[in-house]
Amino acid sequence: MMKKLVSLLFCAVILVSCGNGKHNYEVVKNDLRAPAYPLVSIDPYTSGWSFTNNLYDESVKHWTGKKFPLIGAIKVDGEVFRFMGTEDIPLLPIAPTSEQGGYTAKYTTDKPADNWYEKDFNDTAWKEGAGAFGSIPGEQTAKTLWNTEFVWVRRTLNLEEDLAGKTVFLEYSHDDDAIIYINGIKVVDTGNACKKNVMLKLSDEVLASLKKGENIIAGWCHDRMGLALLDFGLVMEKENKELLKNTAVQTSADVQATQTHYTFTCGDVDMKLTFTAPLLMDDLKLISRPVNYISYEVTSKDGKEHNVELYFEASPAWAVDKPLQKSESEGFEDGNLTFLKTGSIDQNILAKKGDDVRIDWGYFYLAAEKDNTTFNVGESEELRTKFVEGSKEQTLAKRNDQEGKLAIIRSLGSTKEANGKIMIGYDDIYSIQYFEENLRPYWNSKGDQTITGMFHLANQEYDKLIGKCYKFDKELMDKATLSGGKDYAELCALAYRQSIHAHKLVEAPNGDLLFLSKENFSNGSIGTVDITYPSAPLYLYYNPELLKGMMNQIFYYSESGKWKKPFPSHDVGTYPIANGQTYGGDMPVEEAGNMLSLTAALAAVEGNAKYAEKHWETLTIWTNYLAEKGLDPENQLCTDDFAGHFAHNVNLSVKAIMGVASYGYLADKLGKKDVAKEYTDKAKAMAQEWMKMADDGDHYRLTFDKPGTWSQKYNLIWNKVLNLDIFPAEVAQKEIAYYLSKQNKYGLPLDNRETYTKTDWIMWTATLADDKATFEKFIAPVHLFMNETVDRVPMSDWVFTDKPNQRGFQARSVVGGYYIKMLDDKLNPNRQ
């Protein structure tokens, strides 16, 4: 009865046109104003978002905030309306940086005369080398080795015209202190700092000095230890006509699990635009397929026929780390599809790693059916002019510059209603380096598939997949609403694509599935255990094989002998290079407890402990470490490492106890009754001791040694979800009652030290509640935050509770943890 009521309250029926006709699909609208709207969701690199309410207010962006220009416009009876993206002013390198084409410069590491930066200084005795200059040539864009404390660089620039009155920027990267002069005028003095790709608009004084002929840019850099880098160049705004100035009127935006829907009024027609990522987790080949859909439906408002054309334009920025990197673009036909393709010229596969880094190998594609479609590669103004003026000329020739934009024009003819799609995708060729071996993406793990084949398959399966996506989105909203209310369901829908496409799916050389996370905006680590731990509920709920793929690399690292410590590693590298832990410290209790609890959760979902049996020796080592070290943890980090090291962590102790209990649970499932009793009894004894040590009257402490403190004990969740019966039920309920007195406008703080929180842990804490109404009291403030935050970025999990601001992190996979309530309901249906 309740499920039917949910549908009646929130469900609408929409008519969707597909290639094989019209279909009625039920949709439960998501009324959340998302902090950012997911558009393209393929992997951590190919990820496009709208950071604004209206799709046309700003450029489409990568989750890092860098622009991934994607423009859409519709022409109705000759009148043009832009519905997506913005017409940004193009920048042209006039003195390319290392990434934009390279340069040679004079340099010295010996202190020169004081006037070394003057235009007429004689630098003939200096060495000559390719820029940039740094400690690791081949990384950080450096081409010439600089491994001393100081470097001085002079670069000659020959201009074809005076730059007075132009808009010109100095682009520079430095590690550490840098001072830069242009024609003897100081323009940068950073002090002790380290930044990349800073854009500084030049003053009128500097522009007046930049004359036709020879000019000098001079720079000095101080390496205070560690990495070193100095790079600089000039870019200039290009004069550009605004041809798509008029915008449509957006009337709605709706984020579902696999789709984001927009509606617009465009003069005499209405248009629905849908971005679909068919991330249906029961099909691993499908979630690995690197193709998304952008579909459209156009309907006459007045019942009359109207002549309609659609325009889509993408930038080479989708295939390079920095927007002005050298790239090439071209088009070609294959069967009934035409493809537009762009990628970097250098194609240095797997040569970069890090956090705020985008891919610059492989190729980005737009594709569509050839019928009634015009495809072009060229400069943006030229392409937009063709659309506005109705030209049908097609140009697919290769462009070897940053101006090789990709454009598709779809002619719908004179019509009352029409529909169609384009496809967007990426071929990264090799995705991950795994212990020195480069791995292809899962869809091409054997090297016997092609990207064009993937697009053709996506085109053939479009109607079927769209139907499945609508059905899945509706079922998810219904189940989540039944489980935790409408606010909860809306947050789960927004979390779905964000979590999945923060991973990359590959196959290990030994045949193991690897579903490797990237720590987005938290340090760029790959395959991090304490990212897997909070993310896990989504994958336990929909496909536990993916959770195994998030754990296999950690077991392999230990069992291969490469990692020799009696607890799991924190990570296996820095994305996308998984050659071993790169994080600066260990989290012994944290990671051991995480791996044991998740292995037990896998057994609960699968109904057997075969996965645990495969790794029993390793699990035993980790459990014994927790039994010895876990009750009163020494000074160390936990998953909330941003809060710093501290000892006697009460919640971390819970994690250790849950880890020991999980081992007992697994032993019981494997028929090891004596082992099960030993470790279950051990966990219960630890829990009793914990209750005495942590007790603070009406709640439990943050640390055992500090009365008057408190923290969220979200690690207690496994006691409930797995029915471990290690802690008495009243422990969690005492905490829940106390937490309700500590909530702020935007949620429950993580602990008494700060007003910030982690939204994933709030979901876990809320699931400790005995009833849905109490659960919803914790969820409503989180929903309010996401609806009101002024920081328009892909959903952050680290936010303030007393103001609508992000504290840090964004676009991370940990929001998969929102599904913990649904997981509890699935494993314990009698509690609903």
Side-chain angles (χ1 to χ4, degrees):
M1 179 66 186
M2 178 61 74
K3 193 165 186 178
K4 291 181 180 178
L5 180 59
V6 167
S7 294
L8 287 171
L9 284 171
F10 303 119
C11 185
V13 177
I14 65 169
L15 191 65
V16 176
S17 299
C18 295
N20 59 2
K22 295 182 179 180
H23 303 273
N24 290 321
Y25 295 119
E26 290 183 293
V27 175
V28 181
K29 188 177 185 304
N30 189 338
D31 294 316
L32 176 67
R33 186 233 61 181
Y37 292 84
L39 305 178
V40 178
S41 306
I42 291 177
D43 61 23
Y45 286 138
T46 308
S47 174
W49 299 75
S50 172
F51 284 40
T52 54
N53 289 346
N54 296 313
L55 186 57
Y56 46 72
D57 283 346
E58 284 185 359
S59 174
V60 173
K61 296 178 180 179
H62 185 255
W63 62 261
T64 57
K66 298 297 191 295
K67 291 180 179 180
F68 269 13
L70 185 63
I71 293 175
I74 184 171
K75 187 164 61 171
V76 181
D77 297 330
E79 187 175 5
V80 175
F81 304 88
R82 176 170 43 85
F83 58 79
M84 176 169 61
T86 54
E87 292 185 275
D88 296 332
I89 299 173
L91 296 174
L92 295 178
I94 53 176
T97 64
S98 176
E99 291 179 301
Q100 295 163 2
Y103 58 94
T104 58
K106 292 294 190 71
Y107 74 99
T108 183
T109 55
D110 298 322
K111 190 176 188 313
D114 290 344
N115 66 334
W116 64 272
Y117 57 85
E118 296 287 354
K119 188 175 180 181
D120 58 359
F121 177 79
N122 185 353
D123 58 18
T124 54
W126 290 21
K127 300 175 185 176
E128 186 171 88
F133 300 82
S135 54
I136 310 178
E139 291 191 28
Q140 285 203 313
T141 74
K143 300 293 191 299
T144 295
L145 177 64
W146 158 42
N147 57 4
T148 60
E149 186 176 3
F150 302 101
V151 70
W152 291 260
V153 177
R154 288 173 55 86
R155 178 178 180 183
T156 300
L157 168 63
N158 285 296
L159 294 174
E160 297 180 356
E161 61 177 340
D162 294 351
L163 297 187
K166 306 285 188 183
T167 302
V168 182
F169 298 85
L170 172 71
E171 181 173 352
Y172 62 96
S173 300
H174 62 102
D175 188 352
D176 298 290
D177 316 40
I179 300 176
I180 301 175
Y181 301 83
I182 295 178
N183 290 331
I185 303 169
K186 183 190 286 189
V187 293
V188 170
D189 189 345
T190 68
N192 185 1
C194 170
K195 292 186 178 180
K196 290 191 70 178
N197 303 102
V198 179
M199 299 283 283
L200 176 70
K201 187 176 180 180
L202 297 183
S203 67
D204 290 342
E205 178 192 11
V206 176
L207 290 173
S209 78
L210 287 163
K211 303 286 190 182
K212 181 178 180 180
E214 186 174 291
N215 297 264
I216 294 291
I217 310 175
W220 163 89
C221 198
H222 177 196
D223 176 25
R224 295 176 179 267
M225 292 184 67
L227 298 177
L229 179 68
L230 180 62
D231 191 16
F232 48 77
L234 298 181
V235 296
M236 182 172 66
E237 284 188 355
K238 179 186 175 185
E239 293 182 9
N240 197 59
K241 291 181 182 178
E242 197 172 4
L243 297 166
L244 308 176
K245 187 174 182 178
N246 192 30
T247 65
V249 177
Q250 184 177 305
T251 53
S252 70
D254 175 11
V255 178
Q256 298 291 320
T258 66
Q259 302 187 95
T260 300
H261 306 289
Y262 290 94
T263 58
F264 304 90
T265 294
C266 314
D268 289 327
V269 304
D270 289 328
M271 182 176 70
K272 178 182 178 183
L273 190 74
T274 297
F275 297 84
T276 303
L279 298 175
L280 304 173
M281 282 190 271
D282 59 347
D283 186 338
L284 296 182
K285 288 291 187 183
L286 178 61
I287 67 168
S288 174
R289 184 188 300 167
V291 181
N292 281 191
Y293 304 105
I294 303 176
S295 56
Y296 50 86
E297 298 175 48
V298 176
T299 307
S300 171
K301 291 167 58 180
D302 57 11
K304 299 177 182 178
E305 291 188 348
H306 297 279
N307 194 280
V308 179
E309 290 184 324
L310 283 161
Y311 176 83
F312 296 94
E313 176 191 311
S315 163
W318 284 81
V320 291
D321 182 24
K322 300 296 185 293
L324 295 178
Q325 271 183 260
K326 294 170 65 178
S327 60
E328 58 185 12
S329 306
E330 64 180 326
F332 62 92
E333 296 182 354
D334 188 278
N336 66 329
L337 299 179
T338 297
F339 293 82
L340 300 175
K341 167 186 176 183
T342 186
S344 70
I345 288 178
D346 291 337
Q347 288 296 309
N348 293 320
I349 294 176
L350 293 170
K352 287 185 177 178
K353 61 183 179 180
D355 195 352
D356 189 2
V357 173
R358 287 140 299 279
I359 195 168
D360 60 3
W361 67 88
Y363 296 92
F364 170 84
Y365 291 84
L366 288 182
E369 294 177 349
K370 289 189 284 189
D371 292 346
N372 302 311
T373 308
T374 305
F375 301 83
N376 280 288
V377 175
E379 296 186 14
S380 54
E381 184 176 328
E382 171 193 359
L383 299 179
R384 295 166 198 169
T385 299
K386 285 184 178 181
F387 171 64
V388 171
E389 295 181 354
S391 170
K392 302 302 180 186
E393 179 187 2
Q394 184 161 287
T395 304
L396 301 179
K398 182 178 288 189
R399 291 284 300 255
N400 293 313
D401 56 32
Q402 295 88 345
E403 286 295 290
K405 305 295 195 301
L406 315 178
I408 292 176
I409 300 173
R410 304 222 70 181
S411 299
L412 307 186
S414 185
T415 183
K416 293 182 181 179
E417 58 181 22
N419 66 87
K421 68 180 183 304
I422 67 167
M423 294 174 287
I424 189 168
Y426 205 99
D427 181 8
D428 58 3
I429 305 172
Y430 286 95
S431 306
I432 300 291
Q433 186 173 102
Y434 185 67
F435 295 101
E436 309 301 335
E437 186 166 342
N438 291 352
L439 303 182
R440 298 179 185 274
Y442 187 78
W443 62 268
N444 192 26
S445 58
K446 302 295 188 293
D448 57 356
Q449 302 296 316
T450 65
I451 189 64
T452 53
M454 289 299 103
F455 272 95
H456 281 291
L457 186 59
N459 192 46
Q460 294 161 15
E461 294 184 347
Y462 171 74
D463 289 348
K464 177 181 72 174
L465 290 177
I466 289 297
K468 284 185 174 182
C469 286
Y470 272 103
K471 181 181 178 182
F472 178 84
D473 291 349
K474 167 68 166 53
E475 289 177 351
L476 187 151
M477 288 291 280
D478 279 348
K479 289 177 181 177
T481 302
L482 184 64
S483 179
K486 184 111 188 315
D487 285 355
Y488 174 66
E490 292 182 342
L491 291 168
C492 285
L494 180 58
Y496 187 84
R497 273 174 284 167
Q498 174 171 316
S499 183
I500 296 171
H501 90 282
H503 297 81
K504 190 68 181 186
L505 190 64
V506 294
E507 185 178 286
N510 67 357
D512 280 347
L513 188 72
L514 297 174
F515 191 50
L516 298 171
S517 63
K518 177 176 181 179
E519 276 205 56
N520 291 345
F521 268 15
S522 52
N523 70 9
S525 290
I526 186 171
T528 304
V529 177
D530 56 287
I531 292 294
T532 294
Y533 180 68
S535 305
L538 174 61
Y539 307 99
L540 284 164
Y541 190 90
Y542 283 110
N543 189 346
E545 291 301 317
L546 287 170
L547 179 56
K548 293 176 188 177
M550 298 157 73
M551 300 168 69
N552 284 335
Q553 77 281 1
I554 301 298
F555 281 117
Y556 172 78
Y557 196 15
S558 285
E559 292 164 359
S560 67
K562 300 176 190 296
W563 178 260
K564 302 181 186 301
K565 299 179 183 180
F567 48 81
S569 66
H570 169 270
D571 59 77
V572 290
T574 300
Y575 196 93
I577 308 301
N579 291 333
Q581 179 171 307
T582 53
Y583 188 70
D586 296 330
M587 298 185 187
V589 174
E590 173 70 36
E591 311 304 18
N594 290 343
M595 290 295 288
L596 282 153
S597 293
L598 293 182
T599 305
L602 276 167
V605 169
E606 294 190 314
N608 66 74
K610 292 179 181 178
Y611 188 72
E613 187 174 30
K614 179 180 176 182
H615 302 292
W616 193 249
E617 183 178 342
T618 303
L619 291 169
T620 302
I621 293 170
W622 294 344
T623 303
N624 289 334
Y625 181 89
L626 291 179
E628 179 184 353
K629 301 280 192 180
L631 177 59
D632 189 4
E634 299 168 346
N635 189 41
Q636 60 190 278
L637 292 171
C638 68
T639 184
D640 305 315
D641 54 356
F642 49 83
H645 290 75
F646 61 104
H648 317 300
N649 184 336
V650 172
N651 188 45
L652 187 59
S653 177
V654 174
K655 179 165 289 184
I657 298 168
M658 290 293 95
V660 174
S662 293
Y663 184 80
Y665 173 89
L666 291 164
D668 183 68
K669 280 196 171 292
L670 290 171
K672 302 176 185 289
K673 300 301 180 182
D674 291 344
V675 175
K677 184 177 188 308
E678 177 187 352
Y679 284 90
T680 300
D681 288 349
K682 174 65 176 175
K684 287 183 176 180
M686 293 170 75
Q688 289 300 313
E689 193 67 21
W690 180 95
M691 290 169 64
K692 296 173 188 174
M693 295 164 62
D695 187 59
D696 209 45
D698 59 353
H699 68 282
Y700 296 95
R701 300 174 182 177
L702 167 67
T703 62
F704 291 123
D705 60 332
K706 292 182 180 177
T709 61
W710 66 273
S711 65
Q712 291 188 44
K713 309 301 187 302
Y714 52 81
N715 288 316
L716 280 169
I717 192 62
W718 301 114
N719 193 60
K720 179 180 182 182
V721 172
L722 300 180
N723 294 301
L724 296 176
D725 196 28
I726 301 300
F727 287 89
E730 54 265 27
V731 170
Q733 296 321 303
K734 182 160 83 169
E735 286 288 281
I736 288 292
Y738 187 78
Y739 297 153
L740 288 172
S741 71
K742 295 297 180 181
Q743 289 214 101
N744 290 325
K745 179 177 180 179
Y746 296 115
L748 177 67
L750 187 64
D751 56 50
N752 61 271
R753 293 173 296 173
E754 299 279 356
T755 60
Y756 60 60
T757 193
K758 289 284 273 78
T759 59
D760 47 342
W761 297 146
I762 285 180
M763 299 288 178
W764 290 40
T765 294
T767 303
L768 293 171
D770 277 341
D771 61 275
K772 183 178 175 181
T774 303
F775 173 84
E776 290 184 275
K777 289 179 181 178
F778 291 101
I779 304 310
V782 177
H783 185 276
L784 181 66
F785 176 90
M786 298 304 172
N787 203 60
E788 294 186 352
T789 179
V790 296
D791 294 324
R792 304 302 299 273
V793 298
M795 189 160 51
S796 172
D797 55 286
W798 186 19
V799 304
F800 288 102
T801 61
D802 57 348
K803 54 187 176 183
N805 293 109
Q806 165 197 28
R807 174 60 180 85
F809 305 160
Q810 63 198 50
R812 300 206 311 164
S813 67
V814 301
V815 295
Y818 290 9
Y819 286 75
I820 189 71
K821 180 66 166 64
M822 292 175 67
L823 177 65
D824 183 38
D825 290 346
K826 183 176 184 177
L827 291 176
N828 302 287
N830 294 332
R831 279 211 289 258
Q832 292 188 63

